[in-house]
Amino acid sequence: MIVLKDVSKRYGDFTALHDINLEFTNGLYGLLAPNGAGKTTMIKMLATLMRPSGGEILYDGKDIFQMEETYRTLLGYLPQQFGFYKNYSPKQYLLYLAALKGIGKKEALVKIEELLEKVALPDVMNKKMKKFSGGMIQRVGIAQALLNDPKVLILDEPTAGLDPKERARFRHLLSELGRDRLVLVSTHIVSDIESIANEIVMIKNRQILYKDSVEKICQTLEGHVYETSIKYEELDAFRNRAILLSEKQEQGNTIVRFIHKGKPDVAWLPVTPQLEDVFLYEYRDDVDGEV
Amino acid sequence: MMRKEKMHIPMPDDERMEMEIKKIVAQGLRRQPSFWVSLQTIVQQIGFRQLFSDRSEQVYLWMMALMVGVIFFVKPDLAVEQVADVYAFLFLVSPVLFFVFSVYTYANKITNGTYEVEMTCKYDVYQMIAFRMLAFSIVTIVMNAAMIAGFVALYENVAFLRALVISTTGLFVFSVFFLFVMWKRRSTMTVVVVIGSWLLGNILAKQVNASLYNDMLVHLPLVVYALVLIGAAYMYVQLLKKFMRQHNAEGVF
Ligand SMILES: Nc1ncnc2c1ncn2[C@@H]1O[C@H](COP(=O)(O)OP(=O)(O)O)[C@@H](O)[C@H]1O
Ligand SMILES: [Mg+2]
């Protein structure tokens, strides 16, 4: 179990995270927030790459920075920018990282084969990585994070650069992994984690906004989300009445999905709030042009 | 999702169990295994092959070795009288070779963006550099010995033992400097200053008072060198120990 106690992080005068209190047990957690909210900052602290400016992070009651290699032995980490040595093949690179993780060569070879199978890269095992696409490199990164069968798996925007098919496979892999370990996945893309996360953590204004199941988080907007069909010309006027979530064109009309917290119009169709709605609503001031 | 799995109780196989037992015992006994034991474990688990993270590092190392070789053996005007220069050169070059190589490795990890991942591994970048420093020291001593043997064959004046002790002392004294600076985790500037003052200090000493400098190198009793060498080697091991236990990802360079 990982506990963050009053964790803050400042970069000079700028406070990126303020008094964060969180608890993670086994399961899959989605860290969901727009770019710049502090996801990477939190993850780097959990990966011992950065010390908090205040507060402490405990694994089973022990400070992770004092645990040193004992903690790192339990850790699998994929950074937002996964780097590699250009002349290395995935097999060579993974063998090297396995050595750093203290895994013997024989054991490592078996594991590497199994993992590359899992991320669907067995054919290019011996090809130089400089010829790889972004998605392929990302998959090597995911395999790398799993080498030591980590009890704590932390992935920073792992789906960046993956195509829809790869994303689907990856979601499947994640939900499998989340069964018997702590998995924390950061993303600013709702659909990556909506269907698989046991809990979602959302950061807003340097603090935790929600840490709850998708269902519970969606309940916060229960009864406030509607859909209706309007004329395209009415769209601008409509924006002043309600918080627009999405719009799509259909047979000359515009179907709008929106949030309204007062007495509803009879023509409006109440709908069940989705995580995407909460995301758009909560970050309405800073996500424009983002998602 | 989780409920279905409940009835299946995974039994670990023997090998796994063995490993787990070892792990538990190791954890129970944890806190500071002796330095040599942890070194041994590292050698076993990492192996010397993986000391170099990138092939370009190996190429680079060979090129450096070749260059030094060329300077020594092909340069035709190295007169027999310049024995002192040879000593000075050995004293200077051995450590700088290592340093340049370490910086190269470090820069390589940063530019390739592999630093973060490696920093979260059981053996992080600094432990690897420290470990490699040890390996490099050993290799350098062997290489120096070979090179000096070559010298002795070429120039009779160069006493083998003296040259070896001098170059090794240079290496250790410098390594102690280097580790100390890395351990204290000051800034890139500090590292640059240390390397700079090492080179400048030696060159200046030679310029300002060449005869004293040369006297020191050529005529200082071997015993004195040996003592300095032992002292430096001792400090080196002590620092290496400290260094290998410490983790600070925010880095020095
Ligand atoms: N090294 C740094 N120095 C100064 N500010 C930083 C640094 N790293 C991140 N920040 C700032 O901290 C905030 C959070 O960044 P980050 O954790 O990378 O967000 P996210 O991963 O959610 O996109 C941003 O405003 C960013 O500009
Ligand atoms: Mg980020």
Side-chain angles (χ1 to χ4, degrees):
Chain A
M1 188 170 83
I2 290 187
V3 178
L4 286 84
K5 263 194 199 160
D6 304 325
V7 170
S8 304
K9 181 70 200 180
R10 287 181 290 277
Y11 297 109
D13 292 338
F14 176 76
T15 304
L17 291 172
H18 183 70
D19 272 353
I20 304 284
N21 284 287
L22 279 175
E23 269 187 39
F24 298 109
T25 53
N26 276 2
L28 178 55
Y29 295 87
L31 182 56
L32 179 66
N35 287 332
K39 299 184 296 295
T40 298
T41 301
M42 186 193 284
I43 278 180
K44 280 193 180 173
M45 289 192 289
L46 286 167
T48 69
L49 289 169
M50 242 168 30
R51 282 174 187 271
S53 318
E56 52 182 357
I57 305 176
L58 308 174
Y59 179 84
D60 285 348
K62 280 172 285 199
D63 186 298
I64 60 170
F65 291 93
Q66 271 161 27
M67 284 173 78
E68 299 251 323
E69 65 186 45
T70 320
Y71 179 70
R72 296 202 297 277
T73 310
L74 302 168
L75 179 71
Y77 167 65
L78 175 67
Q80 189 165 355
Q81 295 290 330
F82 175 64
F84 57 93
Y85 299 108
K86 291 176 198 64
N87 290 315
Y88 267 29
S89 68
K91 187 174 162 185
Q92 282 170 317
Y93 190 29
L94 291 181
L95 263 176
Y96 169 67
L97 289 174
L100 295 192
K101 291 181 187 227
I103 304 167
K105 191 171 176 190
K106 249 199 280 171
E107 202 185 328
L109 280 170
V110 177
K111 190 80 192 173
I112 287 168
E113 203 138 321
E114 175 198 321
L115 284 173
L116 288 175
E117 191 81 42
K118 229 176 208 164
V119 297
L121 284 177
D123 305 338
V124 292
M125 192 157 122
N126 292 309
K127 295 252 159 63
K128 284 190 179 178
M129 287 174 71
K130 67 177 159 205
K131 299 207 175 110
F132 281 22
S133 71
M136 286 161 89
I137 291 186
Q138 198 69 358
R139 283 184 277 158
V140 175
I142 291 160
Q144 160 278 132
L146 296 172
L147 269 175
N148 53 334
D149 205 1
K151 285 262 150 269
V152 179
L153 178 61
I154 300 178
L155 310 168
D156 198 357
E157 310 226 7
T159 56
L162 297 187
D163 66 30
K165 202 174 125 205
E166 288 165 347
R167 272 169 202 253
R169 185 181 23 235
F170 179 62
R171 277 198 295 273
H172 182 76
L173 178 62
L174 276 187
S175 58
E176 186 186 309
L177 289 166
R179 278 185 209 160
D180 52 359
R181 73 194 78 215
L182 194 171
V183 182
L184 179 64
V185 181
S186 89
T187 183
H188 61 272
I189 296 161
V190 177
S191 60
D192 279 349
I193 44 165
E194 179 175 39
S195 59
I196 52 169
N198 301 78
E199 283 199 325
I200 304 284
V201 177
M202 287 167 87
I203 308 173
K204 186 179 172 182
N205 297 332
R206 305 173 193 94
Q207 292 192 299
I208 302 300
L209 175 67
Y210 293 121
K211 177 185 178 280
D212 225 325
S213 63
V214 173
E215 203 187 3
K216 289 264 175 54
I217 292 176
C218 289
Q219 272 172 17
T220 59
L221 283 183
E222 191 67 54
H224 301 303
V225 185
Y226 303 91
E227 276 186 10
T228 192
S229 176
I230 57 170
K231 294 250 159 13
Y232 183 74
E233 298 78 50
E234 299 169 335
L235 199 58
D236 276 340
F238 203 84
R239 271 186 226 278
N240 296 326
R241 279 187 73 188
I243 299 159
L244 231 57
L245 297 170
S246 68
E247 57 216 62
K248 58 175 184 258
Q249 306 302 320
E250 211 172 276
Q251 295 156 3
N253 281 330
T254 303
I255 311 247
V256 287
R257 189 181 177 97
F258 59 95
I259 287 173
H260 184 82
K261 290 195 165 171
K263 205 170 166 321
D265 197 305
V266 280
W268 296 348
L269 178 70
V271 291
T272 317
Q274 301 290 310
L275 192 58
E276 179 97 30
D277 302 331
V278 181
F279 186 88
L280 290 171
Y281 174 68
E282 292 294 348
Y283 303 119
R284 60 190 177 279
D285 297 327
D286 50 28
V287 290
D288 283 342
E290 192 60 73
V291 178
Chain B
M1 213 165 39
M2 300 176 113
R3 221 154 281 145
K4 271 187 226 146
E5 293 294 309
K6 274 255 165 82
M7 288 316 292
H8 172 71
I9 300 166
M11 283 301 291
D13 53 291
D14 286 356
E15 202 180 325
R16 183 90 214 165
M17 235 140 77
E18 183 105 307
M19 254 179 60
E20 290 297 331
I21 289 169
K22 271 195 195 142
K23 211 158 64 185
I24 292 164
V25 171
Q27 266 164 9
L29 296 176
R30 205 183 120 74
R31 225 47 254 169
Q32 323 284 314
S34 97
F35 174 64
W36 299 110
V37 170
S38 42
L39 258 190
Q40 218 180 342
T41 322
I42 292 184
V43 174
Q44 274 165 10
Q45 290 187 330
I46 297 176
F48 280 95
R49 228 176 60 82
Q50 303 291 5
L51 271 183
F52 308 101
S53 45
D54 195 1
R55 198 166 309 152
S56 68
E57 285 184 4
Q58 292 166 37
V59 171
Y60 185 82
L61 186 64
W62 282 116
M63 270 171 51
M64 300 264 293
L66 204 73
M67 261 165 51
V68 174
V70 165
I71 291 169
F72 271 123
F73 294 113
V74 180
K75 202 172 170 245
D77 56 357
L78 189 71
V80 184
E81 301 77 47
Q82 291 171 309
V83 173
D85 282 344
V86 174
Y87 286 142
F89 190 74
L90 285 176
F91 197 71
L92 273 171
V93 160
S94 309
V96 171
L97 201 68
F98 174 76
F99 172 74
V100 175
F101 182 51
S102 288
V103 168
Y104 177 80
T105 298
Y106 193 88
N108 199 29
K109 289 189 198 310
I110 297 287
T111 50
N112 283 317
T114 61
Y115 176 78
E116 285 201 344
V117 165
E118 293 185 35
M119 217 47 211
T120 56
C121 288
K122 181 177 178 192
Y123 301 113
D124 67 26
V125 173
Y126 292 104
Q127 285 172 318
M128 287 300 283
I129 286 187
F131 175 45
R132 198 161 65 178
M133 184 162 207
L134 188 71
F136 191 88
S137 307
I138 293 165
V139 170
T140 311
I141 289 168
V142 171
M143 256 171 56
N144 277 358
M147 248 160 42
I148 292 162
F151 266 132
V152 175
L154 287 175
Y155 316 106
E156 289 142 14
N157 291 27
V158 187
F160 176 78
L161 193 61
R162 170 171 287 270
L164 183 64
V165 169
I166 288 177
S167 66
T168 316
T169 307
L171 181 73
F172 274 117
V173 169
F174 179 83
S175 299
V176 167
F177 259 143
F178 181 72
L179 276 180
F180 188 72
V181 170
M182 292 250 285
W183 176 55
K184 282 290 173 196
R185 293 296 152 77
R186 290 288 149 72
S187 59
T188 314
M189 245 352 254
T190 326
V191 179
V192 171
V193 166
V194 167
I195 309 308
S197 31
W198 172 267
L199 284 173
L200 266 176
N202 274 284
I203 290 166
L204 269 181
K206 198 166 156 48
Q207 291 302 322
V208 170
N209 199 335
S211 64
L212 183 67
Y213 186 80
N214 286 348
D215 267 4
M216 259 183 61
L217 285 173
V218 182
H219 298 302
L220 205 66
L222 256 188
V223 186
V224 177
Y225 269 116
L227 282 177
V228 174
L229 176 59
I230 289 167
Y234 175 78
M235 275 172 68
Y236 172 74
V237 169
Q238 293 304 317
L239 273 171
L240 203 63
K241 275 188 198 175
K242 285 205 176 99
F243 196 70
M244 289 180 75
R245 294 230 171 88
Q246 164 193 33
H247 178 77
N248 185 344
E250 272 147 296
V252 58
F253 291 100

mmCIF file with all atom_site columns, all heavy atoms in Angstrom, chain B residues 10-27:
data_model
loop_
_atom_site.group_PDB
_atom_site.id
_atom_site.type_symbol
_atom_site.label_atom_id
_atom_site.label_alt_id
_atom_site.label_comp_id
_atom_site.label_asym_id
_atom_site.label_entity_id
_atom_site.label_seq_id
_atom_site.pdbx_PDB_ins_code
_atom_site.Cartn_x
_atom_site.Cartn_y
_atom_site.Cartn_z
_atom_site.occupancy
_atom_site.B_iso_or_equiv
_atom_site.pdbx_formal_charge
_atom_site.auth_seq_id
_atom_site.auth_comp_id
_atom_site.auth_asym_id
_atom_site.auth_atom_id
_atom_site.pdbx_PDB_model_num
ATOM 1   N N   . PRO B 1 10 ? -3.057 -19.907 -6.572  1.00 0.00 ? 10 PRO B N   1
ATOM 2   C CA  . PRO B 1 10 ? -1.821 -20.181 -7.307  1.00 0.00 ? 10 PRO B CA  1
ATOM 3   C C   . PRO B 1 10 ? -0.757 -20.732 -6.369  1.00 0.00 ? 10 PRO B C   1
ATOM 4   O O   . PRO B 1 10 ? -0.431 -20.135 -5.357  1.00 0.00 ? 10 PRO B O   1
ATOM 5   C CB  . PRO B 1 10 ? -1.430 -18.798 -7.843  1.00 0.00 ? 10 PRO B CB  1
ATOM 6   C CG  . PRO B 1 10 ? -2.103 -17.826 -6.948  1.00 0.00 ? 10 PRO B CG  1
ATOM 7   C CD  . PRO B 1 10 ? -3.256 -18.497 -6.292  1.00 0.00 ? 10 PRO B CD  1
ATOM 8   N N   . MET B 1 11 ? -0.252 -21.923 -6.690  1.00 0.00 ? 11 MET B N   1
ATOM 9   C CA  . MET B 1 11 ? 0.821  -22.504 -5.898  1.00 0.00 ? 11 MET B CA  1
ATOM 10  C C   . MET B 1 11 ? 2.141  -22.166 -6.559  1.00 0.00 ? 11 MET B C   1
ATOM 11  O O   . MET B 1 11 ? 2.348  -22.453 -7.726  1.00 0.00 ? 11 MET B O   1
ATOM 12  C CB  . MET B 1 11 ? 0.659  -24.026 -5.838  1.00 0.00 ? 11 MET B CB  1
ATOM 13  C CG  . MET B 1 11 ? -0.422 -24.474 -4.866  1.00 0.00 ? 11 MET B CG  1
ATOM 14  S SD  . MET B 1 11 ? -0.114 -23.912 -3.176  1.00 0.00 ? 11 MET B SD  1
ATOM 15  C CE  . MET B 1 11 ? 1.314  -24.910 -2.765  1.00 0.00 ? 11 MET B CE  1
ATOM 16  N N   . PRO B 1 12 ? 3.040  -21.567 -5.823  1.00 0.00 ? 12 PRO B N   1
ATOM 17  C CA  . PRO B 1 12 ? 4.347  -21.265 -6.426  1.00 0.00 ? 12 PRO B CA  1
ATOM 18  C C   . PRO B 1 12 ? 5.138  -22.549 -6.663  1.00 0.00 ? 12 PRO B C   1
ATOM 19  O O   . PRO B 1 12 ? 5.043  -23.485 -5.879  1.00 0.00 ? 12 PRO B O   1
ATOM 20  C CB  . PRO B 1 12 ? 5.019  -20.396 -5.355  1.00 0.00 ? 12 PRO B CB  1
ATOM 21  C CG  . PRO B 1 12 ? 4.316  -20.696 -4.088  1.00 0.00 ? 12 PRO B CG  1
ATOM 22  C CD  . PRO B 1 12 ? 2.944  -21.177 -4.427  1.00 0.00 ? 12 PRO B CD  1
ATOM 23  N N   . ASP B 1 13 ? 5.879  -22.586 -7.760  1.00 0.00 ? 13 ASP B N   1
ATOM 24  C CA  . ASP B 1 13 ? 6.709  -23.757 -7.991  1.00 0.00 ? 13 ASP B CA  1
ATOM 25  C C   . ASP B 1 13 ? 7.945  -23.672 -7.112  1.00 0.00 ? 13 ASP B C   1
ATOM 26  O O   . ASP B 1 13 ? 8.211  -22.665 -6.462  1.00 0.00 ? 13 ASP B O   1
ATOM 27  C CB  . ASP B 1 13 ? 7.099  -23.859 -9.470  1.00 0.00 ? 13 ASP B CB  1
ATOM 28  C CG  . ASP B 1 13 ? 7.726  -22.578 -9.951  1.00 0.00 ? 13 ASP B CG  1
ATOM 29  O OD1 . ASP B 1 13 ? 6.993  -21.564 -10.050 1.00 0.00 ? 13 ASP B OD1 1
ATOM 30  O OD2 . ASP B 1 13 ? 8.926  -22.584 -10.214 1.00 0.00 ? 13 ASP B OD2 1
ATOM 31  N N   . ASP B 1 14 ? 8.717  -24.740 -7.108  1.00 0.00 ? 14 ASP B N   1
ATOM 32  C CA  . ASP B 1 14 ? 9.857  -24.839 -6.186  1.00 0.00 ? 14 ASP B CA  1
ATOM 33  C C   . ASP B 1 14 ? 10.837 -23.685 -6.345  1.00 0.00 ? 14 ASP B C   1
ATOM 34  O O   . ASP B 1 14 ? 11.285 -23.094 -5.372  1.00 0.00 ? 14 ASP B O   1
ATOM 35  C CB  . ASP B 1 14 ? 10.595 -26.162 -6.408  1.00 0.00 ? 14 ASP B CB  1
ATOM 36  C CG  . ASP B 1 14 ? 9.776  -27.317 -5.841  1.00 0.00 ? 14 ASP B CG  1
ATOM 37  O OD1 . ASP B 1 14 ? 8.717  -27.033 -5.247  1.00 0.00 ? 14 ASP B OD1 1
ATOM 38  O OD2 . ASP B 1 14 ? 10.193 -28.477 -6.010  1.00 0.00 ? 14 ASP B OD2 1
ATOM 39  N N   . GLU B 1 15 ? 11.130 -23.402 -7.617  1.00 0.00 ? 15 GLU B N   1
ATOM 40  C CA  . GLU B 1 15 ? 12.137 -22.384 -7.878  1.00 0.00 ? 15 GLU B CA  1
ATOM 41  C C   . GLU B 1 15 ? 11.698 -21.045 -7.295  1.00 0.00 ? 15 GLU B C   1
ATOM 42  O O   . GLU B 1 15 ? 12.440 -20.343 -6.635  1.00 0.00 ? 15 GLU B O   1
ATOM 43  C CB  . GLU B 1 15 ? 12.319 -22.260 -9.386  1.00 0.00 ? 15 GLU B CB  1
ATOM 44  C CG  . GLU B 1 15 ? 13.645 -21.676 -9.793  1.00 0.00 ? 15 GLU B CG  1
ATOM 45  C CD  . GLU B 1 15 ? 13.728 -21.584 -11.298 1.00 0.00 ? 15 GLU B CD  1
ATOM 46  O OE1 . GLU B 1 15 ? 13.181 -22.475 -11.979 1.00 0.00 ? 15 GLU B OE1 1
ATOM 47  O OE2 . GLU B 1 15 ? 14.290 -20.606 -11.791 1.00 0.00 ? 15 GLU B OE2 1
ATOM 48  N N   . ARG B 1 16 ? 10.430 -20.759 -7.559  1.00 0.00 ? 16 ARG B N   1
ATOM 49  C CA  . ARG B 1 16 ? 9.837  -19.514 -7.076  1.00 0.00 ? 16 ARG B CA  1
ATOM 50  C C   . ARG B 1 16 ? 9.922  -19.448 -5.548  1.00 0.00 ? 16 ARG B C   1
ATOM 51  O O   . ARG B 1 16 ? 10.251 -18.441 -4.968  1.00 0.00 ? 16 ARG B O   1
ATOM 52  C CB  . ARG B 1 16 ? 8.373  -19.489 -7.551  1.00 0.00 ? 16 ARG B CB  1
ATOM 53  C CG  . ARG B 1 16 ? 7.621  -18.250 -7.199  1.00 0.00 ? 16 ARG B CG  1
ATOM 54  C CD  . ARG B 1 16 ? 7.757  -17.216 -8.292  1.00 0.00 ? 16 ARG B CD  1
ATOM 55  N NE  . ARG B 1 16 ? 7.765  -15.899 -7.687  1.00 0.00 ? 16 ARG B NE  1
ATOM 56  C CZ  . ARG B 1 16 ? 8.152  -14.811 -8.315  1.00 0.00 ? 16 ARG B CZ  1
ATOM 57  N NH1 . ARG B 1 16 ? 8.593  -14.886 -9.552  1.00 0.00 ? 16 ARG B NH1 1
ATOM 58  N NH2 . ARG B 1 16 ? 8.128  -13.663 -7.721  1.00 0.00 ? 16 ARG B NH2 1
ATOM 59  N N   . MET B 1 17 ? 9.578  -20.608 -4.951  1.00 0.00 ? 17 MET B N   1
ATOM 60  C CA  . MET B 1 17 ? 9.535  -20.662 -3.497  1.00 0.00 ? 17 MET B CA  1
ATOM 61  C C   . MET B 1 17 ? 10.931 -20.407 -2.938  1.00 0.00 ? 17 MET B C   1
ATOM 62  O O   . MET B 1 17 ? 11.120 -19.624 -2.018  1.00 0.00 ? 17 MET B O   1
ATOM 63  C CB  . MET B 1 17 ? 9.037  -22.029 -3.040  1.00 0.00 ? 17 MET B CB  1
ATOM 64  C CG  . MET B 1 17 ? 7.839  -21.912 -2.133  1.00 0.00 ? 17 MET B CG  1
ATOM 65  S SD  . MET B 1 17 ? 6.595  -23.138 -2.428  1.00 0.00 ? 17 MET B SD  1
ATOM 66  C CE  . MET B 1 17 ? 7.264  -24.573 -1.672  1.00 0.00 ? 17 MET B CE  1
ATOM 67  N N   . GLU B 1 18 ? 11.889 -21.078 -3.544  1.00 0.00 ? 18 GLU B N   1
ATOM 68  C CA  . GLU B 1 18 ? 13.289 -20.902 -3.172  1.00 0.00 ? 18 GLU B CA  1
ATOM 69  C C   . GLU B 1 18 ? 13.650 -19.424 -3.193  1.00 0.00 ? 18 GLU B C   1
ATOM 70  O O   . GLU B 1 18 ? 14.211 -18.874 -2.260  1.00 0.00 ? 18 GLU B O   1
ATOM 71  C CB  . GLU B 1 18 ? 14.153 -21.664 -4.187  1.00 0.00 ? 18 GLU B CB  1
ATOM 72  C CG  . GLU B 1 18 ? 15.627 -21.612 -3.876  1.00 0.00 ? 18 GLU B CG  1
ATOM 73  C CD  . GLU B 1 18 ? 16.106 -22.939 -3.311  1.00 0.00 ? 18 GLU B CD  1
ATOM 74  O OE1 . GLU B 1 18 ? 15.503 -23.429 -2.337  1.00 0.00 ? 18 GLU B OE1 1
ATOM 75  O OE2 . GLU B 1 18 ? 17.054 -23.480 -3.852  1.00 0.00 ? 18 GLU B OE2 1
ATOM 76  N N   . MET B 1 19 ? 13.259 -18.778 -4.303  1.00 0.00 ? 19 MET B N   1
ATOM 77  C CA  . MET B 1 19 ? 13.581 -17.373 -4.492  1.00 0.00 ? 19 MET B CA  1
ATOM 78  C C   . MET B 1 19 ? 12.934 -16.517 -3.412  1.00 0.00 ? 19 MET B C   1
ATOM 79  O O   . MET B 1 19 ? 13.550 -15.616 -2.859  1.00 0.00 ? 19 MET B O   1
ATOM 80  C CB  . MET B 1 19 ? 13.077 -16.902 -5.856  1.00 0.00 ? 19 MET B CB  1
ATOM 81  C CG  . MET B 1 19 ? 14.167 -16.718 -6.867  1.00 0.00 ? 19 MET B CG  1
ATOM 82  S SD  . MET B 1 19 ? 13.463 -16.189 -8.415  1.00 0.00 ? 19 MET B SD  1
ATOM 83  C CE  . MET B 1 19 ? 12.683 -14.651 -7.943  1.00 0.00 ? 19 MET B CE  1
ATOM 84  N N   . GLU B 1 20 ? 11.649 -16.840 -3.156  1.00 0.00 ? 20 GLU B N   1
ATOM 85  C CA  . GLU B 1 20 ? 10.918 -16.059 -2.159  1.00 0.00 ? 20 GLU B CA  1
ATOM 86  C C   . GLU B 1 20 ? 11.561 -16.201 -0.778  1.00 0.00 ? 20 GLU B C   1
ATOM 87  O O   . GLU B 1 20 ? 11.702 -15.228 -0.053  1.00 0.00 ? 20 GLU B O   1
ATOM 88  C CB  . GLU B 1 20 ? 9.454  -16.517 -2.096  1.00 0.00 ? 20 GLU B CB  1
ATOM 89  C CG  . GLU B 1 20 ? 8.630  -16.146 -3.306  1.00 0.00 ? 20 GLU B CG  1
ATOM 90  C CD  . GLU B 1 20 ? 8.505  -14.648 -3.497  1.00 0.00 ? 20 GLU B CD  1
ATOM 91  O OE1 . GLU B 1 20 ? 8.544  -13.901 -2.502  1.00 0.00 ? 20 GLU B OE1 1
ATOM 92  O OE2 . GLU B 1 20 ? 8.402  -14.232 -4.655  1.00 0.00 ? 20 GLU B OE2 1
ATOM 93  N N   . ILE B 1 21 ? 11.948 -17.442 -0.494  1.00 0.00 ? 21 ILE B N   1
ATOM 94  C CA  . ILE B 1 21 ? 12.568 -17.689 0.816   1.00 0.00 ? 21 ILE B CA  1
ATOM 95  C C   . ILE B 1 21 ? 13.841 -16.870 0.921   1.00 0.00 ? 21 ILE B C   1
ATOM 96  O O   . ILE B 1 21 ? 14.077 -16.167 1.903   1.00 0.00 ? 21 ILE B O   1
ATOM 97  C CB  . ILE B 1 21 ? 12.866 -19.196 0.998   1.00 0.00 ? 21 ILE B CB  1
ATOM 98  C CG1 . ILE B 1 21 ? 11.537 -19.949 1.182   1.00 0.00 ? 21 ILE B CG1 1
ATOM 99  C CG2 . ILE B 1 21 ? 13.771 -19.427 2.215   1.00 0.00 ? 21 ILE B CG2 1
ATOM 100 C CD1 . ILE B 1 21 ? 11.645 -21.444 1.116   1.00 0.00 ? 21 ILE B CD1 1
ATOM 101 N N   . LYS B 1 22 ? 14.647 -16.937 -0.141  1.00 0.00 ? 22 LYS B N   1
ATOM 102 C CA  . LYS B 1 22 ? 15.894 -16.169 -0.155  1.00 0.00 ? 22 LYS B CA  1
ATOM 103 C C   . LYS B 1 22 ? 15.607 -14.690 0.056   1.00 0.00 ? 22 LYS B C   1
ATOM 104 O O   . LYS B 1 22 ? 16.317 -13.995 0.765   1.00 0.00 ? 22 LYS B O   1
ATOM 105 C CB  . LYS B 1 22 ? 16.617 -16.368 -1.482  1.00 0.00 ? 22 LYS B CB  1
ATOM 106 C CG  . LYS B 1 22 ? 17.554 -17.558 -1.451  1.00 0.00 ? 22 LYS B CG  1
ATOM 107 C CD  . LYS B 1 22 ? 18.503 -17.516 -2.628  1.00 0.00 ? 22 LYS B CD  1
ATOM 108 C CE  . LYS B 1 22 ? 19.177 -18.860 -2.827  1.00 0.00 ? 22 LYS B CE  1
ATOM 109 N NZ  . LYS B 1 22 ? 19.349 -19.205 -4.220  1.00 0.00 ? 22 LYS B NZ  1
ATOM 110 N N   . LYS B 1 23 ? 14.544 -14.256 -0.613  1.00 0.00 ? 23 LYS B N   1
ATOM 111 C CA  . LYS B 1 23 ? 14.210 -12.834 -0.546  1.00 0.00 ? 23 LYS B CA  1
ATOM 112 C C   . LYS B 1 23 ? 13.835 -12.442 0.885   1.00 0.00 ? 23 LYS B C   1
ATOM 113 O O   . LYS B 1 23 ? 14.279 -11.428 1.404   1.00 0.00 ? 23 LYS B O   1
ATOM 114 C CB  . LYS B 1 23 ? 13.042 -12.545 -1.504  1.00 0.00 ? 23 LYS B CB  1
ATOM 115 C CG  . LYS B 1 23 ? 13.094 -11.159 -2.086  1.00 0.00 ? 23 LYS B CG  1
ATOM 116 C CD  . LYS B 1 23 ? 12.349 -10.962 -3.377  1.00 0.00 ? 23 LYS B CD  1
ATOM 117 C CE  . LYS B 1 23 ? 10.896 -11.130 -3.377  1.00 0.00 ? 23 LYS B CE  1
ATOM 118 N NZ  . LYS B 1 23 ? 10.238 -11.051 -4.651  1.00 0.00 ? 23 LYS B NZ  1
ATOM 119 N N   . ILE B 1 24 ? 13.009 -13.310 1.474   1.00 0.00 ? 24 ILE B N   1
ATOM 120 C CA  . ILE B 1 24 ? 12.549 -13.010 2.832   1.00 0.00 ? 24 ILE B CA  1
ATOM 121 C C   . ILE B 1 24 ? 13.731 -13.016 3.795   1.00 0.00 ? 24 ILE B C   1
ATOM 122 O O   . ILE B 1 24 ? 13.891 -12.107 4.612   1.00 0.00 ? 24 ILE B O   1
ATOM 123 C CB  . ILE B 1 24 ? 11.481 -14.041 3.278   1.00 0.00 ? 24 ILE B CB  1
ATOM 124 C CG1 . ILE B 1 24 ? 10.212 -13.828 2.440   1.00 0.00 ? 24 ILE B CG1 1
ATOM 125 C CG2 . ILE B 1 24 ? 11.173 -13.884 4.765   1.00 0.00 ? 24 ILE B CG2 1
ATOM 126 C CD1 . ILE B 1 24 ? 9.241  -14.979 2.492   1.00 0.00 ? 24 ILE B CD1 1
ATOM 127 N N   . VAL B 1 25 ? 14.582 -14.039 3.636   1.00 0.00 ? 25 VAL B N   1
ATOM 128 C CA  . VAL B 1 25 ? 15.764 -14.107 4.497   1.00 0.00 ? 25 VAL B CA  1
ATOM 129 C C   . VAL B 1 25 ? 16.612 -12.856 4.293   1.00 0.00 ? 25 VAL B C   1
ATOM 130 O O   . VAL B 1 25 ? 17.036 -12.209 5.238   1.00 0.00 ? 25 VAL B O   1
ATOM 131 C CB  . VAL B 1 25 ? 16.590 -15.371 4.182   1.00 0.00 ? 25 VAL B CB  1
ATOM 132 C CG1 . VAL B 1 25 ? 17.926 -15.324 4.915   1.00 0.00 ? 25 VAL B CG1 1
ATOM 133 C CG2 . VAL B 1 25 ? 15.806 -16.603 4.595   1.00 0.00 ? 25 VAL B CG2 1
ATOM 134 N N   . ALA B 1 26 ? 16.784 -12.508 3.014   1.00 0.00 ? 26 ALA B N   1
ATOM 135 C CA  . ALA B 1 26 ? 17.604 -11.349 2.693   1.00 0.00 ? 26 ALA B CA  1
ATOM 136 C C   . ALA B 1 26 ? 17.019 -10.093 3.326   1.00 0.00 ? 26 ALA B C   1
ATOM 137 O O   . ALA B 1 26 ? 17.731 -9.246  3.854   1.00 0.00 ? 26 ALA B O   1
ATOM 138 C CB  . ALA B 1 26 ? 17.713 -11.171 1.185   1.00 0.00 ? 26 ALA B CB  1
ATOM 139 N N   . GLN B 1 27 ? 15.685 -10.013 3.286   1.00 0.00 ? 27 GLN B N   1
ATOM 140 C CA  . GLN B 1 27 ? 15.048 -8.825  3.845   1.00 0.00 ? 27 GLN B CA  1
ATOM 141 C C   . GLN B 1 27 ? 15.193 -8.796  5.361   1.00 0.00 ? 27 GLN B C   1
ATOM 142 O O   . GLN B 1 27 ? 15.404 -7.746  5.953   1.00 0.00 ? 27 GLN B O   1
ATOM 143 C CB  . GLN B 1 27 ? 13.569 -8.781  3.465   1.00 0.00 ? 27 GLN B CB  1
ATOM 144 C CG  . GLN B 1 27 ? 13.355 -7.962  2.212   1.00 0.00 ? 27 GLN B CG  1
ATOM 145 C CD  . GLN B 1 27 ? 12.006 -8.211  1.605   1.00 0.00 ? 27 GLN B CD  1
ATOM 146 O OE1 . GLN B 1 27 ? 11.160 -8.875  2.201   1.00 0.00 ? 27 GLN B OE1 1
ATOM 147 N NE2 . GLN B 1 27 ? 11.795 -7.690  0.419   1.00 0.00 ? 27 GLN B NE2 1
#
